[in-house]
Amino acid sequence: MEEYGHFIGGKHVAGKSGRDQDVMQPMDGTVRAKVALASAAEMRAAVENAKAAQPAWAATNPQRRVRVLMKFLELVHKEYDALAELLAREHGKTVPDAKGDIQRGLEVVEVCIGAPHMMKGEFTEGAGPGIDVYSMRQPLGVVAGITPFNFPAMIPLWKIAPAIACGNAFILKPSERDPGVPMRIAELFLEAGLPAGILNVVNGDKEAVDAILDDPDIKAVGFVGSTPIAQYIYSRATATGKRAQCFGGAKNHLIIMPDADMDQTVDALIGAGYGSAGERCMAVSVAVPVGKETADRLVEKLIPRVESLKVGPSTDGSADFGPLVTAQALERVKGYVDLGVEEGAKLLVDGRNFKMQGYEDGYYMGGCLFDNVTRDMRIYKEEIFGPVLSVVRAETYEEALALPNDHEYGNGVAIFTRDGDAARDFAARVNVGMVGVNVPIPVPIAYYTFGGWKGSAFGDLNQHGPDAFRFYTKTKTVTSRWPSGVKDGAEFVIPTMK
Ligand code: NAD
C-alpha cells in the first residue's frame, strides 16, 4: 500500500512521528494509502531546509524563476489524465471534474509567469532637489499554505505559484484526506528545475498546523478551509506577527428574477448545486426565486432534474457527481437533511437512501431538494457542503437581496435576470465578495482576485490576481539623494514638501 511521507529538501522523507492516517477511496470505501502526520520537529526540519534554500532562489533573476513554472506546465500537461484519475480516486469527484480542478490551478500558474512584471517597483525622479524615490518588492522568505480537501490541485497551486514566482520558499500542509496530488505537484516542480527546498510538502493535522503557526521563521500563512479553522489560524498566525489570509466556508445564493430565462437558470442551479456533490466553496446551496409564480415554475422544473441526476463512481466520466469525501461527511450531510425535515422545510427530492450498485461501501447519496426553507432554519444558516439545494422564497427583490446581505457568509452570489438595471443594482449593493450575473459560479478568472467577504474570509488580500503578488512580497521604498543635490546643512525639522 502506498505510504505518503513528506517531501522535504527535494526528497521523499518517511514520517517519524509514529502517527499516520488512512487515505480512503470514496468511490468504494477502500483504504488507498496511509499518510504520515508530522510532528512539530518534522515541520521544523522542513522550515530549516526552506530557510537555507530561499536566499539563492530569491537572488535568481525573476525571468529565470518563472521558466520553472513554464516547464512545470509542460510536465503537468504530459500527465494530465493520470493526475486527474489520482485526484478523482482520492477525492471522489469525477475525472472530468478533477481535470477542471487541475486546470483552474494551472491558469494561476500561467498568470504567475508574469511575476517579473507584477514585481516591478515604482520610480519618481526629482521628488525633491536631487532626490529620487523608488520602491521595490521583495520576497518574504519562508511562507506556508494550509489547504482543504475539496480542491487538492487548484488551491495548492493558487498558493505555490505566486509564492515561489516571487522568490519565496514554500511549505505546503495539504489536506490529510487527499495528499497524493499535492505530493506529485512537488515532484513535478523539482523535475521542472525548482531548487530542492523551495517547495516542501509536510503532511499532517493540527500538530503540523500549530507548528507552522508558532514558527518564527515562517513569515506568512495562507489558509483555505472551514470558517472556524480559518478564524483560529488567522488569530494565532497574526498574534505571532505573520501575514495571514484565511478563506472559510460559504452559503451561496442564486437569486431568480421573474424575467430570468428559466431553462438557463435550472441548468445553472443543477450544475452549480450538485456538481462535485456540492463540495465546492462556490457551490450554489440556496435558490431564491422572486415572487410566487417564479418559485412555482422553478420548483416544477427542478424536481425532475434533481430526480434524474446521475450519481456514479469517480471513474465514470458520464456521472454528474460522485461520492462524498468520507463516511463522516456523508453522515453529516444526511444529518442536515434529517434536520431540515424536522425544522419544517418541504423535502421535495430525497437522496438519502441512494445506494450505488456494485459500490455499496462508497460514500454516495442522491441529490436532495428542499422547498419552503426559511432564514431561521439551521439548514439555511449553516454550510451543508453536500448535494442539497434549498429554495427560499422571496416576495420582492429587496427581500431577496436582504438574504445574502444578512447571511454570516459572503463568498459567492448570483442573480439571473434579463434586466440590466436589476443586475447592476444587485452587483452594487450585494454584500458578498464574488458576484455572478447569469453566471452561477463566479470564480474570477486567474488574473482577477478570488475572495469572499464576512465570515468567508479573514485578512485583507485575496487569492491570485494582483493581490497574490502583494501578499507574497513586501514593499521597500528608497529615498536617495546624491552629492550633486542641494546641500542645506543639518535639518532638525521633519522634511516636508513645503
Ligand atoms: P477543514 O477546515 O476541515 O480543513 C482545512 C485544513 O485545515 C486541512 O489542511 C486540515 O488538516 C486543517 N485543519 C483541520 N482542522 C484543524 C484544526 N483543528 N487545527 C488546525 N488545522 C486544522 O476544511 P475541509 O473540510 O478540508 O474543506 C472544506 C471547507 O473549506 C468548506 O468549509 C469550504 O467552504 C471551505 N473552502 C473554502 C474556500 C474559499 O476559498 N473560501 C475554498 C475551498 C474550500
Side-chain angles (χ1 to χ4, degrees):
M1 184 183 300
E2 176 112 41
E3 295 237 354
Y4 297 122
H6 313 294
F7 193 81
I8 299 176
K11 289 193 209 77
H12 285 280
V13 179
K16 294 188 199 119
S17 69
R19 292 194 311 126
D20 61 21
Q21 185 174 311
D22 290 341
V23 177
M24 306 304 291
Q25 179 158 282
M27 71 176 186
D28 57 12
T30 56
V31 178
R32 267 190 71 77
K34 292 243 175 235
V35 60
L37 302 174
S39 64
E42 288 169 293
M43 182 59 77
R44 184 61 208 159
V47 176
E48 275 167 12
N49 238 287
K51 196 177 169 192
Q54 192 266 338
W57 178 240
T60 303
N61 82 47
Q63 259 182 297
R64 289 210 173 129
R65 288 202 302 259
V66 300
R67 277 184 203 139
V68 172
L69 271 58
M70 293 185 208
K71 182 73 188 166
F72 171 79
L73 288 171
E74 200 184 305
L75 296 177
V76 173
H77 281 290
K78 280 191 193 150
E79 62 173 78
Y80 221 115
D81 291 349
L83 210 55
E85 171 138 0
L86 169 62
L87 195 159
R89 283 181 179 274
E90 286 190 2
H91 174 284
K93 62 177 79 175
T94 62
V95 172
D97 197 26
K99 287 186 179 168
D101 184 332
I102 298 167
Q103 179 58 25
R104 287 303 293 231
L106 295 186
E107 287 168 14
V108 169
V109 180
E110 287 164 3
V111 168
C112 288
I113 288 166
H117 169 67
M118 295 305 292
M119 287 184 73
K120 282 192 301 198
E122 295 165 317
F123 183 84
T124 300
E125 183 202 6
I131 295 177
D132 301 328
V133 180
Y134 62 96
S135 65
M136 53 178 115
R137 289 189 173 280
Q138 295 185 322
L140 304 177
V142 180
V143 298
I146 301 156
T147 54
F149 81 86
N150 70 327
F151 281 99
M154 179 183 88
I155 295 176
L157 286 172
W158 284 8
K159 300 193 175 306
I160 295 166
I164 64 174
C166 291
N168 300 286
F170 194 84
I171 295 183
L172 176 68
K173 205 303 284 171
S175 171
E176 56 276 48
R177 293 180 221 165
D178 45 13
V181 170
M183 291 295 273
R184 184 68 192 134
I185 285 174
E187 289 171 350
L188 289 173
F189 265 116
L190 189 76
E191 208 180 307
L194 190 69
I198 297 303
L199 173 57
N200 305 278
V201 181
V202 182
N203 285 305
D205 55 6
K206 182 169 166 49
E207 185 171 342
V209 171
D210 287 348
I212 289 175
L213 301 179
D214 295 341
D215 197 307
D217 285 323
I218 295 180
K219 302 300 177 194
V221 178
F223 170 85
V224 179
S226 56
T227 288
I229 312 296
Q231 267 174 313
Y232 164 72
I233 289 180
Y234 186 75
S235 51
R236 188 152 166 181
T238 51
T240 55
K242 296 185 199 324
R243 193 175 278 193
Q245 53 172 196
C246 300
F247 299 91
K251 196 83 179 177
N252 305 315
H253 298 61
L254 189 149
I255 314 294
I256 303 112
M257 296 298 285
D259 67 347
D261 177 327
M262 199 50 86
D263 290 326
Q264 190 194 18
T265 306
V266 169
D267 279 343
L269 280 170
I270 290 292
Y274 300 94
S276 201
E279 290 176 320
R280 290 182 185 140
C281 69
M282 290 292 275
V284 172
S285 48
V286 182
V288 187
V290 175
K292 181 172 183 323
E293 196 263 339
T294 314
D296 292 344
R297 272 194 298 137
L298 175 75
V299 166
E300 189 191 329
K301 281 188 184 258
L302 271 176
I303 292 173
R305 293 290 300 275
V306 179
E307 282 172 343
S308 59
L309 281 166
K310 185 174 177 205
V311 184
S314 318
T315 46
D316 175 358
S318 70
D320 294 324
F321 63 88
L324 288 155
V325 66
T326 56
Q328 295 86 323
L330 178 64
E331 283 320 302
R332 197 180 48 78
V333 175
K334 284 185 180 175
Y336 269 111
V337 181
D338 298 343
L339 175 68
V341 174
E342 278 164 37
E343 289 184 308
K346 194 166 157 193
L347 185 59
L348 299 176
V349 184
D350 183 358
R352 282 174 294 182
N353 295 322
F354 175 86
K355 285 270 170 280
M356 188 71 223
Q357 241 190 338
Y359 296 86
E360 282 74 13
D361 292 332
Y363 313 135
Y364 299 92
M365 68 181 282
C368 295
L369 178 65
F370 276 115
D371 194 0
N372 300 116
V373 175
T374 54
R375 53 195 291 164
D376 54 315
M377 293 180 183
R378 274 183 57 204
I379 60 159
Y380 173 70
K381 292 195 263 194
E382 297 173 18
E383 183 180 45
I384 298 177
F385 224 55
V388 182
L389 180 66
S390 296
V391 176
V392 179
R393 292 170 176 243
E395 278 179 22
T396 61
Y397 165 70
E398 289 298 331
E399 202 186 299
L401 175 64
L403 288 163
N405 279 358
D406 296 345
H407 205 282
E408 175 196 351
Y409 295 118
N411 214 39
V413 73
I415 187 166
F416 274 57
T417 181
R418 289 187 173 97
D419 180 342
D421 257 0
R424 186 168 181 274
D425 182 79
F426 183 78
R429 288 170 60 208
V430 73
N431 191 11
V432 171
M434 292 174 280
V435 183
V437 175
N438 298 318
V439 171
I441 307 187
V443 175
I445 200 137
Y447 40 93
Y448 281 80
T449 72
F450 178 107
W453 286 4
K454 301 184 280 184
S456 295
F458 305 89
D460 302 320
L461 292 170
N462 280 349
Q463 302 191 88
H464 68 64
D467 274 7
F469 300 98
R470 293 188 190 109
F471 185 74
Y472 289 113
T473 57
K474 53 193 173 192
T475 304
K476 185 181 278 176
T477 310
V478 180
T479 304
S480 67
R481 180 158 72 175
W482 294 95
S484 56
V486 180
K487 292 194 174 66
D488 42 14
E491 275 277 9
F492 295 98
V493 175
I494 178 90
T496 67
M497 282 293 141
K498 204 167 168 199

